[in-house]
Amino acid sequence: MVRYEYGGDEFVFVELAEEMSLEVNFQAMAITRKLREKQLPGILDICPSNASYMIRVDPDQLHPDVLIKELKDLEHSVSIDDFEISARIVDVPILFEDPWTHEALMRFRDRHQDPNSTDLEYAARINGFASKEELIQAITDYPYLVSMVGFVPGLPWCYQMVPREQQIEVPKYVRPRTYTPERAFGFGGAFAVIYPVQGAGGYQLFGIAAAPIYDKEQRLPDFADSMTFPRQGDIFRYRSVTKEEFESIREQVEAGTFRYLTTEITFTPHDVIENPKQFSENVLGRLYV
Amino acid sequence: MIKVITPGLQTTVQDQGRIGYYEIGMPPSGAMDKYSYVIANLLVGNDENAAALEITYMGPTLEFQRDSVIAVTGGEIPPKINGQPAPMWETIAVKAGDQLSFDFIRQGARAYLAVAGGINVPVIMDSRSTYTLCGIGGFEGRALQAGDGLCIGSDIRRKISAGTRIPETFIPRFSKSYEIRVLMGLCSYRLTEESKERFLSLDWTVTPEANRVGYRFKGERLNFVPREQPFGAGSNPSNVVDLGYPIGSIQVPDGVEPIALLNDAVTGGGYATIATIISADLNRMAQIKTNEKVRFVSVSLEEALRARREMKDKIAQIKQVISENGR
């Protein structure tokens, strides 16, 4: 059941489904894109999220009930069958079990479900993997859809493009940490994230991204147009790197020369949903030619 | 130039806010009590979006290096010029070399200092507002520090003469307990009926965790309707599949303490939101301090829009008064 809800007098929140799926994320993407094209006066923000979306309005220009009527029409007229997504495929290098997130997760052991193992060991065990190496393999084997951006500027929620039974799912910390290092790579619910800046957080910590996803000075070429790198609809491939490659990327970042390896792709939701394995191979094939 | 002698507890440059970037996770920031902020600007003849200083709990000491026109509004943090009491809600002329300081706070939480011309800091994503969490906007992305020098800008519309005052009826009164109007909804279906009722009938106490990001309240535990958690949401009954948080929305992580998200809020996350503070009452939220009491009152959308119109009408009347008396 789709829920249309007021968020005070300035927001309308639409929950398309209670549970996460690629289908529902594509649907939110398709509806919000159509709404954007309509350029209705009085709309201040259009925020697609994982299984929902949210609109900020100026109610003096657009009554929330008028907007809701418009959104209900879109719900019925927009279909993901004829929806095409043009997106970037991005290679995102991650150093798993790095010293920085290790220090952070050890410091907050008393807030974790399992104080006696690391976040990675715990996540491997509850997801039925024989070892943490197998979990890392599963995380890096298939690409992710950036299904939502937010929390703080540029944080990408990434949902792996695999069938439900293959999804990795972990709880959030029992009580959130007060510290998470910048660029930490975490997992919570069915989502992988990178923390753009240092701060609080409750996701399981697995590693650290070598390159930034937020650059307020806009020093790196990938940030010429925006302080934030991830965009909803992007496809991220998390790749496990060695300490040596990590150091080399850090040097490029420091020198201001680092660029993400990216390529463009146009696809339909069905390409992904019908055959995720083939889609994934196609994606990786395009990225690492 | 305005020289910062002492910075106060947390003094930041704010304007109407950074609107239109919520989608990338950028909160609006901006003045928390927009009513007081706008009046401060009107009293010095500024553009309504001119940057002003938001002063929290304890005021700064500032030295004006040229003759200026200023106004202080908002929570009662009594201003003094060269040690002598000066009025709030009134246009004041200061001379080069004058020092503006503040007495201890009496009521409310945040005062606004507008200077004719506005505070001139770089515009980042259409706004001069400070967002300290990411170090963006305002004066070097942070609260003021001793030794900073603030430039005065040119966001001025008209000259207002010193001594112009707004009528008493327009000056808000602050107390120690507040009724804050909310629209129930968003994911309120997650709360049990009893907990929804308790949410609206308790007097909640504001905890020390009350800042520009949000306010946390103490009261009693609220309960969620038991369910098998939907895929992707996480295991706690207060978890939902990560979604967008409206400004003013209230969530209750683990059912323990409600949190109202405000101007520097996180824009989304995985906790069920249960209600949203109406826009007219966000101004009043900004004036609430730790240990004060809040009762949430459920209103309809039409009531929320009426309150919003009343607020706008008040500002329009004040504009009228200032333009008649301020010549």
Side-chain angles (χ1 to χ4, degrees):
Chain A
M1 187 192 69
V2 178
R3 286 192 180 92
Y4 289 84
E5 299 277 341
Y6 306 124
D9 44 325
E10 293 189 350
F11 288 85
V12 169
F13 170 75
V14 183
E15 187 184 62
L16 295 172
E18 287 181 29
E19 64 172 29
M20 179 60 186
S21 66
L22 286 167
E23 287 87 337
V24 75
N25 188 255
F26 286 130
Q27 198 194 349
M29 229 185 263
I31 292 172
T32 50
R33 187 202 283 179
K34 261 282 182 302
L35 181 68
R36 211 177 286 277
E37 286 167 6
K38 286 184 173 255
Q39 298 199 313
L40 298 181
I43 289 188
L44 303 179
D45 281 294
I46 298 177
C47 311
S49 44
N50 290 316
S52 56
Y53 64 92
M54 189 171 79
I55 314 291
R56 185 174 190 189
V57 291
D58 173 357
D60 304 327
Q61 286 187 67
L62 179 61
H63 193 288
D65 286 337
V66 175
L67 174 64
I68 288 176
K69 195 187 164 299
E70 185 75 39
L71 298 176
K72 284 183 175 167
D73 289 347
L74 285 177
E75 181 199 327
H76 296 113
S77 65
V78 170
S79 158
I80 60 170
D81 294 339
D82 50 15
F83 183 55
E84 249 187 19
I85 302 159
S86 295
R88 302 178 298 183
I89 309 172
V90 187
D91 170 74
V92 185
I94 303 289
L95 179 64
F96 284 88
E97 302 192 281
D98 65 290
W100 300 278
T101 56
H102 184 76
E103 191 276 329
L105 69 92
M106 290 313 285
R107 210 196 307 167
F108 295 101
R109 237 42 227 147
D110 60 329
R111 300 182 182 211
H112 194 271
Q113 287 81 359
D114 182 358
N116 297 318
S117 51
T118 65
D119 293 9
L120 202 57
E121 288 163 352
Y122 167 73
R125 193 176 68 242
I126 64 164
N127 279 281
F129 292 102
S131 66
K132 58 191 184 190
E133 286 73 21
E134 272 185 28
L135 172 60
I136 294 172
Q137 180 87 35
I139 290 170
T140 52
D141 264 356
Y142 290 91
Y144 294 72
L145 179 70
V146 175
S147 53
M148 172 176 173
V149 175
F151 182 61
V152 291
L155 181 141
W157 270 273
C158 302
Y159 187 70
Q160 203 169 25
M161 294 157 121
V162 294
R164 170 73 61 90
E165 59 278 9
Q166 226 180 300
Q167 293 277 351
I168 299 154
E169 209 188 357
V170 293
K172 294 154 196 169
Y173 270 46
V174 177
R175 280 184 299 132
R177 296 175 304 271
T178 53
Y179 168 78
T180 308
E182 176 187 310
R183 289 180 284 108
F185 173 73
F187 222 101
F191 300 97
V193 302
I194 296 172
Y195 289 88
V197 290
Q198 180 186 312
Y203 277 33
Q204 307 282 337
L205 296 179
F206 294 167
I208 197 158
I213 52 163
Y214 169 79
D215 176 8
K216 73 170 172 179
E217 313 292 345
Q218 298 182 268
R219 241 168 31 93
L220 296 175
D222 286 326
F223 296 83
D225 299 330
S226 171
M227 289 181 194
T228 58
F229 180 75
R231 296 183 211 139
Q232 204 216 20
D234 279 347
I235 297 172
F236 278 12
R237 192 275 167 125
Y238 290 112
R239 183 169 57 89
S240 176
V241 297
T242 60
K243 187 89 201 243
E244 289 68 39
E245 186 177 354
F246 178 85
E247 298 296 352
S248 142
I249 294 170
R250 290 309 302 155
E251 280 166 25
Q252 293 169 49
V253 170
E254 294 305 320
T257 57
F258 175 81
R259 272 197 123 117
Y260 279 103
L261 172 65
T262 64
T263 186
E264 303 286 323
I265 188 174
T266 298
F267 65 99
T268 67
H270 285 277
D271 297 339
V272 185
I273 294 159
E274 302 288 307
N275 195 340
K277 197 163 165 33
Q278 196 193 320
F279 180 75
S280 169
E281 277 159 16
N282 178 11
V283 161
L284 299 184
R286 277 166 171 273
L287 188 57
Y288 306 111
V289 276
Chain B
M1 187 89 121
I2 303 169
K3 209 175 155 212
V4 179
I5 311 291
T6 61
L9 189 63
Q10 199 203 21
T11 306
T12 55
V13 177
Q14 302 292 347
D15 60 14
Q16 293 276 9
R18 199 164 276 117
I19 311 295
Y21 299 95
Y22 217 65
E23 179 198 1
I24 64 156
M26 182 70 75
S29 303
M32 298 250 295
D33 175 358
K34 294 239 164 51
Y35 178 75
S36 300
Y37 155 81
V38 165
I39 295 174
N41 268 334
L42 292 174
L43 280 169
V44 297
N46 276 354
D47 192 280
E48 275 176 59
N49 192 31
L53 294 183
E54 180 177 274
I55 293 162
T56 317
Y57 298 160
M58 202 176 91
T61 302
L62 307 171
E63 187 177 290
F64 291 86
Q65 301 193 322
R66 68 171 211 213
D67 294 359
S68 306
V69 171
I70 65 168
V72 180
T73 62
E76 199 181 343
I77 308 178
K80 295 183 291 187
I81 291 166
N82 301 325
Q84 295 303 310
M88 289 183 69
W89 306 97
E90 187 175 314
T91 311
I92 303 172
V94 293
K95 295 245 167 300
D98 279 356
Q99 277 201 2
L100 172 70
S101 61
F102 293 84
D103 229 324
F104 289 115
I105 187 162
R106 292 202 188 128
Q107 313 181 75
R110 292 178 169 84
Y112 292 85
L113 166 66
V115 181
I119 305 295
N120 190 12
V121 293
V123 173
I124 309 281
M125 301 168 104
D126 312 329
S127 167
R128 292 192 166 92
S129 289
T130 317
Y131 174 41
T132 54
L133 209 67
C134 282
I136 289 171
F139 189 89
E140 296 179 359
R142 57 168 171 80
L144 297 186
Q145 293 173 1
D148 290 347
L150 300 168
C151 293
I152 296 173
S154 54
D155 288 338
I156 193 157
R157 288 270 179 87
R158 60 174 65 82
K159 207 170 168 306
I160 305 291
S161 47
T164 305
R165 212 180 146 70
I166 70 160
E168 291 299 316
T169 49
F170 292 111
I171 298 176
R173 295 279 159 236
F174 308 109
S175 65
K176 293 199 182 311
S177 63
Y178 290 80
E179 285 195 347
I180 294 292
R181 291 167 288 183
V182 297
L183 247 77
M184 293 300 287
L186 302 173
C187 304
S188 61
Y189 66 90
R190 290 294 304 121
L191 283 184
T192 62
E193 285 306 315
E194 193 195 352
S195 281
K196 263 187 238 175
E197 190 274 319
R198 293 301 288 158
F199 172 70
L200 293 169
S201 60
L202 275 177
D203 282 323
W204 296 92
T205 306
V206 177
T207 69
E209 221 174 297
N211 52 45
R212 291 184 47 87
V213 175
Y215 275 44
R216 189 184 277 263
F217 303 88
K218 251 190 192 349
E220 65 182 50
R221 186 178 253 283
L222 298 179
N223 298 305
F224 293 90
V225 177
R227 66 168 175 182
E228 184 171 336
Q229 282 293 90
F231 179 76
S235 51
N236 191 284
S238 66
N239 283 151
V240 287
V241 168
D242 300 61
L243 41 72
Y245 295 152
I247 306 293
S249 65
I250 298 171
Q251 53 182 265
V252 200
D254 196 29
V256 178
E257 287 172 347
I259 300 171
L261 291 177
L262 301 171
N263 300 49
D264 290 359
V266 291
T267 67
Y271 290 111
T273 43
I274 59 165
T276 311
I277 298 167
I278 69 171
S279 61
D281 282 2
L282 286 173
N283 300 317
R284 298 171 56 238
M285 265 310 294
Q287 297 295 353
I288 302 176
K289 285 191 292 293
T290 298
N291 286 328
E292 292 179 346
K293 305 279 184 199
V294 171
R295 182 172 293 202
F296 296 108
V297 178
S298 170
V299 296
S300 68
L301 176 65
E302 287 317 316
E303 286 170 281
L305 291 174
R306 199 177 314 130
R308 183 187 177 89
R309 270 195 302 276
E310 281 167 11
M311 186 70 72
K312 285 206 150 184
D313 288 348
K314 264 190 184 176
I315 300 267
Q317 289 176 52
I318 291 166
K319 247 188 229 175
Q320 186 69 28
V321 171
I322 290 174
S323 73
E324 280 165 11
N325 300 347
R327 277 188 284 247

